[in-house]
Amino acid sequence: MTNFDALKKKKGSNLKAMAEKLETMNKGSGGKKDERIYKPGFDKKEGIGNAVIRLLPAQEGDNFVRQFSHSFNVGSNFYWENSRSTLDEKDPVGISNGLYWRLGDESESTEDKTKYQNIAKNRKRKTKYFFNVYVEKDKNNPDCEGQVMIMECGPQIFAIIEKAINPKFEDDEAIDPFDLWGGAPLKIRALGREIPDGRTGNKVIVPNYEESFFGNVAEFMDGDEDKMKEVFEKTYDLSSFAVVKPFDELAARFKQVTGEDYDKLDKTSEDHAKEAEEDFREQYKELSGKDDEKSEPVEEKKEPAKKEVVADADDDDDDLLDEFARLANGD
């Protein structure tokens, strides 16, 4: 059957499917839960959580993904996007944060410094890590036990993984937590800690994972390679967690939410060009005796003036921008 004949046979049958897809798109995916994601259970009432997991290697690519994102609101407008810094590139929010931080440092009053730098702090990037795990035990999430899932965690838990790979002390043996034969179970120990809610200021209980640790090195599934293979083949591709929108699209979204360009505070281009033009006109007036802004400058005077003013200033500001963007983003 030709493609056209197949199309004719299905006529009218796509309407319902398209309507459902449009409804899903219009609702957005923000409230949709990814059933693959695992977070260790935590009993807020008791203020305790306890789980045992085994980290699994990826079938392709890296064993984990580090994702940077920005989530903040300006009034009723929300910005919630992955950052280009996930890909080790500059991001519109990161650039804006660096400029606000610098503006605060250059402010004469403490009040202005706090005001500007709080903008950068409120928009700072957040860090998450994703990797495949096998959930051996979780009292507060029993449905997850025996399942291959994607663990989502913050820097605190991941610091324990880093410490296992690169121990601080020479007599601590390094291990590869993702190795099915030479790895070890990660024992999650969560204790409640009271902190102020960033939005409401009210006290909330959150889990603290500092007492988590790796158990003894042991073969996964007691060395049963058939079971190892069965679990390994259920692991997920993590590449989707490193997907980031193009810079221009993020910049447009940033302006839509904040009402300003990401480089609004940047003085390295427009203002320096204007200063260079004014300096040149002063030189031109002195040399020619003319005071006509529309007069074309003498060519041999134009290039040295622009090169001297613009290049040096841009280089200095680029260095400052990189430094303050790094500070504002918590690097």
Side-chain angles (χ1 to χ4, degrees):
M1 182 182 292
T2 66
N3 291 339
F4 183 78
D5 290 337
L7 178 66
K8 183 177 179 180
K9 188 174 182 179
K10 293 193 305 179
K11 65 180 181 179
S13 63
N14 289 331
L15 182 59
K16 183 179 179 181
M18 287 192 296
E20 291 175 350
K21 182 175 181 179
L22 287 172
E23 183 179 2
T24 301
M25 290 170 58
N26 291 330
K27 284 182 178 178
S29 58
K32 187 178 180 181
K33 182 180 178 181
D34 188 339
E35 298 296 338
R36 304 171 303 165
I37 297 296
Y38 170 72
K39 294 181 180 180
F42 178 70
D43 188 329
K44 290 186 178 181
K45 185 177 180 180
E46 298 292 331
I48 194 168
N50 183 17
V52 180
I53 61 174
R54 184 78 182 221
L55 280 60
L56 302 174
Q59 296 186 45
E60 292 184 9
D62 295 330
N63 288 331
F64 64 87
V65 167
R66 181 180 64 178
Q67 178 195 87
F68 294 123
S69 65
H70 294 277
S71 59
F72 59 88
N73 69 291
V74 178
S76 60
N77 297 321
F78 286 85
Y79 184 99
W80 191 348
E81 302 286 353
N82 288 346
S83 168
R84 298 291 300 175
S85 58
T86 298
L87 308 176
D88 294 324
E89 298 178 8
K90 289 187 177 182
D91 181 82
V93 184
I95 292 173
S96 176
N97 285 348
L99 294 171
Y100 269 111
W101 196 270
R102 182 173 68 185
L103 183 60
D105 272 348
E106 294 174 348
S107 298
E108 295 182 358
S109 71
T110 303
E111 182 180 357
D112 284 344
K113 178 177 182 177
T114 301
K115 177 178 67 175
Y116 293 128
Q117 293 188 347
N118 276 346
I119 293 175
K121 290 178 181 178
N122 291 335
R123 300 175 184 178
K124 68 180 181 180
R125 71 184 184 183
K126 298 170 177 60
T127 310
K128 288 183 179 180
Y129 296 87
F130 298 88
F131 44 90
N132 284 284
V133 298
Y134 177 81
V135 183
E136 295 184 2
K137 177 184 176 182
D138 190 331
K139 177 182 177 181
N140 295 305
N141 280 326
D143 291 343
C144 295
E145 294 182 355
Q147 302 296 320
V148 175
M149 306 187 76
I150 299 174
M151 177 139 178
E152 174 188 324
C153 72
Q156 192 176 59
I157 288 180
F158 199 79
I160 298 167
I161 297 173
E162 288 185 291
K163 183 180 177 181
I165 298 171
N166 294 309
K168 292 182 179 180
F169 300 99
E170 292 181 0
D171 56 345
D172 287 339
E173 185 176 354
I175 66 170
D176 178 358
F178 297 94
D179 192 313
L180 297 180
W181 292 268
L186 175 57
K187 299 188 176 183
I188 304 293
R189 302 288 188 265
L191 294 175
R193 181 179 64 179
E194 191 176 68
I195 64 170
D197 184 280
R199 296 184 182 276
T200 65
N202 298 329
K203 297 292 184 179
V204 293
I205 302 296
V206 298
N208 182 288
Y209 297 102
E210 289 179 345
E211 295 192 19
S212 301
F213 63 97
F214 278 98
N216 296 326
V217 173
E219 290 185 320
F220 182 50
M221 292 292 178
D222 295 325
D224 187 328
E225 295 197 355
D226 289 335
K227 291 182 178 179
M228 284 187 191
K229 182 180 179 182
E230 181 183 354
V231 170
F232 173 67
E233 290 179 346
K234 292 180 180 178
T235 57
Y236 299 96
D237 179 8
L238 303 173
S239 60
S240 62
F241 296 101
V243 173
V244 187
K245 293 178 181 177
F247 186 98
D248 290 346
E249 189 173 338
L250 293 174
R253 178 60 183 162
F254 179 82
K255 185 173 184 178
Q256 184 182 24
V257 171
T258 65
E260 62 186 51
D261 291 321
Y262 72 91
D263 56 354
K264 170 186 174 182
L265 303 179
D266 192 356
K267 304 295 185 181
T268 62
S269 55
E270 182 179 347
D271 284 5
H272 282 313
K274 184 177 180 181
E275 291 171 7
E277 181 182 355
E278 291 173 352
D279 288 346
F280 170 75
R281 291 195 182 283
E282 289 298 321
Q283 295 174 28
Y284 181 75
K285 282 165 59 178
E286 292 176 4
L287 291 171
S288 66
K290 296 180 181 180
D291 190 15
D292 183 2
E293 292 189 355
K294 294 182 179 179
S295 300
E296 290 296 325
V298 180
E299 185 173 352
E300 59 268 26
K301 299 296 181 182
K302 180 178 179 180
E303 291 186 0
K306 277 201 170 184
K307 285 182 179 179
E308 181 180 354
V309 178
V310 178
D312 291 346
D314 281 351
D315 289 345
D316 290 342
D317 282 345
D318 280 345
D319 291 339
L320 284 171
L321 176 58
D322 289 339
E323 178 65 10
F324 286 115
R326 181 185 67 79
L327 292 172
N329 280 330
D331 284 345

Short mmCIF file of all heavy atoms in Angstrom, two decimals, residues 140-170:
data_model
loop_
_atom_site.label_atom_id
_atom_site.label_comp_id
_atom_site.label_asym_id
_atom_site.label_seq_id
_atom_site.Cartn_x
_atom_site.Cartn_y
_atom_site.Cartn_z
N ASN A 140 10.84 4.42 53.56
CA ASN A 140 9.81 5.42 53.27
C ASN A 140 9.34 5.39 51.82
O ASN A 140 8.38 6.09 51.47
CB ASN A 140 10.33 6.82 53.61
CG ASN A 140 10.59 6.99 55.09
OD1 ASN A 140 9.71 6.76 55.92
ND2 ASN A 140 11.81 7.37 55.45
N ASN A 141 10.02 4.62 50.97
CA ASN A 141 9.62 4.45 49.58
C ASN A 141 9.68 2.97 49.21
O ASN A 141 10.45 2.57 48.34
CB ASN A 141 10.54 5.24 48.63
CG ASN A 141 10.19 6.71 48.57
OD1 ASN A 141 9.03 7.09 48.67
ND2 ASN A 141 11.21 7.55 48.43
N PRO A 142 8.89 2.13 49.85
CA PRO A 142 9.01 0.68 49.61
C PRO A 142 8.71 0.28 48.16
O PRO A 142 9.24 -0.75 47.70
CB PRO A 142 7.96 0.09 50.57
CG PRO A 142 7.01 1.20 50.86
CD PRO A 142 7.83 2.45 50.82
N ASP A 143 7.90 1.06 47.45
CA ASP A 143 7.58 0.73 46.06
C ASP A 143 8.81 0.84 45.15
O ASP A 143 8.82 0.28 44.05
CB ASP A 143 6.48 1.65 45.52
CG ASP A 143 5.13 1.36 46.18
OD1 ASP A 143 4.99 0.29 46.78
OD2 ASP A 143 4.24 2.22 46.09
N CYS A 144 9.83 1.57 45.62
CA CYS A 144 11.04 1.75 44.80
C CYS A 144 12.03 0.61 44.97
O CYS A 144 12.96 0.46 44.16
CB CYS A 144 11.72 3.08 45.16
SG CYS A 144 10.74 4.54 44.76
N GLU A 145 11.87 -0.18 46.00
CA GLU A 145 12.83 -1.24 46.29
C GLU A 145 12.85 -2.27 45.16
O GLU A 145 11.81 -2.69 44.66
CB GLU A 145 12.49 -1.91 47.62
CG GLU A 145 12.67 -0.98 48.81
CD GLU A 145 12.37 -1.65 50.15
OE1 GLU A 145 11.93 -2.82 50.15
OE2 GLU A 145 12.58 -1.00 51.18
N GLY A 146 14.05 -2.65 44.77
CA GLY A 146 14.21 -3.61 43.68
C GLY A 146 14.06 -3.00 42.30
O GLY A 146 14.02 -3.73 41.30
N GLN A 147 14.02 -1.67 42.23
CA GLN A 147 13.81 -0.99 40.95
C GLN A 147 15.09 -0.26 40.49
O GLN A 147 15.88 0.22 41.31
CB GLN A 147 12.69 0.05 41.07
CG GLN A 147 11.36 -0.53 41.52
CD GLN A 147 10.79 -1.50 40.50
OE1 GLN A 147 10.86 -1.28 39.30
NE2 GLN A 147 10.22 -2.59 41.00
N VAL A 148 15.26 -0.20 39.17
CA VAL A 148 16.30 0.64 38.57
C VAL A 148 15.67 2.01 38.32
O VAL A 148 14.65 2.11 37.64
CB VAL A 148 16.82 0.05 37.25
CG1 VAL A 148 17.80 1.01 36.58
CG2 VAL A 148 17.48 -1.30 37.50
N MET A 149 16.28 3.06 38.87
CA MET A 149 15.72 4.40 38.76
C MET A 149 16.84 5.41 38.51
O MET A 149 18.03 5.08 38.57
CB MET A 149 14.93 4.76 40.03
CG MET A 149 13.85 3.74 40.39
SD MET A 149 12.79 4.26 41.76
CE MET A 149 11.74 5.46 40.92
N ILE A 150 16.43 6.64 38.22
CA ILE A 150 17.40 7.73 38.05
C ILE A 150 17.40 8.55 39.32
O ILE A 150 16.40 9.15 39.68
CB ILE A 150 17.04 8.62 36.85
CG1 ILE A 150 17.03 7.82 35.57
CG2 ILE A 150 18.02 9.79 36.75
CD1 ILE A 150 16.53 8.59 34.36
N MET A 151 18.51 8.55 40.00
CA MET A 151 18.60 9.32 41.24
C MET A 151 18.86 10.78 40.91
O MET A 151 19.71 11.12 40.09
CB MET A 151 19.71 8.80 42.13
CG MET A 151 19.89 9.61 43.41
SD MET A 151 20.18 8.56 44.82
CE MET A 151 20.42 9.77 46.11
N GLU A 152 18.10 11.65 41.57
CA GLU A 152 18.31 13.09 41.49
C GLU A 152 18.77 13.57 42.87
O GLU A 152 18.11 13.32 43.86
CB GLU A 152 17.02 13.80 41.11
CG GLU A 152 17.10 15.31 41.14
CD GLU A 152 15.75 15.98 40.93
OE1 GLU A 152 14.93 15.44 40.13
OE2 GLU A 152 15.49 17.01 41.57
N CYS A 153 19.92 14.23 42.91
CA CYS A 153 20.41 14.69 44.21
C CYS A 153 21.14 16.02 44.04
O CYS A 153 21.46 16.45 42.93
CB CYS A 153 21.33 13.65 44.85
SG CYS A 153 22.95 13.51 44.05
N GLY A 154 21.39 16.65 45.17
CA GLY A 154 22.12 17.91 45.18
C GLY A 154 23.59 17.69 45.50
O GLY A 154 24.06 16.55 45.61
N PRO A 155 24.32 18.78 45.72
CA PRO A 155 25.77 18.69 45.96
C PRO A 155 26.15 17.91 47.21
O PRO A 155 27.23 17.33 47.26
CB PRO A 155 26.20 20.15 46.07
CG PRO A 155 25.16 20.91 45.30
CD PRO A 155 23.88 20.18 45.53
N GLN A 156 25.28 17.89 48.22
CA GLN A 156 25.66 17.24 49.48
C GLN A 156 25.87 15.74 49.32
O GLN A 156 26.89 15.20 49.75
CB GLN A 156 24.60 17.52 50.55
CG GLN A 156 25.06 17.13 51.94
CD GLN A 156 24.04 17.49 53.01
OE1 GLN A 156 22.91 17.02 52.96
NE2 GLN A 156 24.45 18.31 53.97
N ILE A 157 24.92 15.06 48.70
CA ILE A 157 25.08 13.61 48.47
C ILE A 157 26.20 13.36 47.47
O ILE A 157 27.01 12.44 47.63
CB ILE A 157 23.76 12.99 47.98
CG1 ILE A 157 22.74 12.93 49.13
CG2 ILE A 157 24.00 11.58 47.43
CD1 ILE A 157 21.42 12.32 48.75
N PHE A 158 26.26 14.19 46.42
CA PHE A 158 27.29 13.94 45.40
C PHE A 158 28.69 14.15 45.96
O PHE A 158 29.65 13.54 45.48
CB PHE A 158 27.07 14.83 44.18
CG PHE A 158 27.78 14.31 42.95
CD1 PHE A 158 27.24 13.27 42.22
CD2 PHE A 158 28.99 14.85 42.56
CE1 PHE A 158 27.91 12.76 41.11
CE2 PHE A 158 29.66 14.35 41.45
CZ PHE A 158 29.12 13.31 40.73
N ALA A 159 28.83 15.00 46.97
CA ALA A 159 30.14 15.20 47.60
C ALA A 159 30.65 13.90 48.22
O ALA A 159 31.86 13.64 48.26
CB ALA A 159 30.06 16.29 48.65
N ILE A 160 29.73 13.06 48.70
CA ILE A 160 30.11 11.76 49.27
C ILE A 160 30.64 10.85 48.17
O ILE A 160 31.60 10.09 48.37
CB ILE A 160 28.90 11.13 49.98
CG1 ILE A 160 28.45 12.04 51.13
CG2 ILE A 160 29.22 9.73 50.49
CD1 ILE A 160 27.10 11.67 51.69
N ILE A 161 30.03 10.92 46.99
CA ILE A 161 30.49 10.14 45.84
C ILE A 161 31.88 10.62 45.41
O ILE A 161 32.78 9.82 45.15
CB ILE A 161 29.48 10.25 44.69
CG1 ILE A 161 28.13 9.67 45.11
CG2 ILE A 161 30.01 9.55 43.43
CD1 ILE A 161 27.02 9.88 44.09
N GLU A 162 32.05 11.93 45.34
CA GLU A 162 33.36 12.49 44.98
C GLU A 162 34.44 12.08 45.97
O GLU A 162 35.58 11.77 45.58
CB GLU A 162 33.27 14.02 44.91
CG GLU A 162 32.50 14.55 43.72
CD GLU A 162 32.53 16.06 43.64
OE1 GLU A 162 31.92 16.71 44.52
OE2 GLU A 162 33.18 16.60 42.72
N LYS A 163 34.09 12.09 47.24
CA LYS A 163 35.06 11.72 48.27
C LYS A 163 35.48 10.26 48.12
O LYS A 163 36.64 9.90 48.38
CB LYS A 163 34.44 11.95 49.65
CG LYS A 163 35.38 11.66 50.81
CD LYS A 163 34.69 11.92 52.14
CE LYS A 163 35.60 11.57 53.31
NZ LYS A 163 34.93 11.80 54.61
N ALA A 164 34.55 9.39 47.69
CA ALA A 164 34.89 7.98 47.48
C ALA A 164 35.85 7.82 46.31
O ALA A 164 36.77 7.00 46.35
CB ALA A 164 33.62 7.17 47.24
N ILE A 165 35.63 8.62 45.27
CA ILE A 165 36.49 8.54 44.08
C ILE A 165 37.84 9.18 44.33
O ILE A 165 38.88 8.66 43.91
CB ILE A 165 35.78 9.21 42.89
CG1 ILE A 165 34.47 8.48 42.56
CG2 ILE A 165 36.68 9.26 41.65
CD1 ILE A 165 33.60 9.19 41.54
N ASN A 166 37.82 10.33 45.03
CA ASN A 166 39.06 11.06 45.33
C ASN A 166 39.15 11.33 46.84
O ASN A 166 38.85 12.43 47.31
CB ASN A 166 39.10 12.39 44.58
CG ASN A 166 39.18 12.22 43.08
OD1 ASN A 166 40.04 11.49 42.59
ND2 ASN A 166 38.30 12.89 42.36
N PRO A 167 39.54 10.33 47.62
CA PRO A 167 39.60 10.52 49.08
C PRO A 167 40.64 11.57 49.46
O PRO A 167 41.65 11.74 48.78
CB PRO A 167 39.98 9.13 49.60
CG PRO A 167 40.61 8.43 48.44
CD PRO A 167 39.94 8.97 47.22
N LYS A 168 40.38 12.25 50.58
CA LYS A 168 41.28 13.32 51.02
C LYS A 168 42.56 12.77 51.66
O LYS A 168 43.60 13.41 51.61
CB LYS A 168 40.55 14.22 52.02
CG LYS A 168 39.43 15.04 51.42
CD LYS A 168 38.80 15.96 52.47
CE LYS A 168 37.71 16.80 51.86
NZ LYS A 168 37.07 17.71 52.86
N PHE A 169 42.47 11.61 52.27
CA PHE A 169 43.61 11.07 53.02
C PHE A 169 44.23 9.89 52.27
O PHE A 169 43.54 9.08 51.66
CB PHE A 169 43.17 10.63 54.41
CG PHE A 169 42.58 11.76 55.23
CD1 PHE A 169 41.21 11.91 55.32
CD2 PHE A 169 43.40 12.67 55.87
CE1 PHE A 169 40.65 12.94 56.06
CE2 PHE A 169 42.86 13.71 56.61
CZ PHE A 169 41.48 13.85 56.70
N GLU A 170 45.54 9.81 52.35
CA GLU A 170 46.29 8.82 51.59
C GLU A 170 45.93 7.39 51.98
O GLU A 170 45.99 6.48 51.15
CB GLU A 170 47.79 9.04 51.77
CG GLU A 170 48.30 10.34 51.14
CD GLU A 170 49.79 10.53 51.32
OE1 GLU A 170 50.41 9.64 51.94
OE2 GLU A 170 50.32 11.53 50.83
#
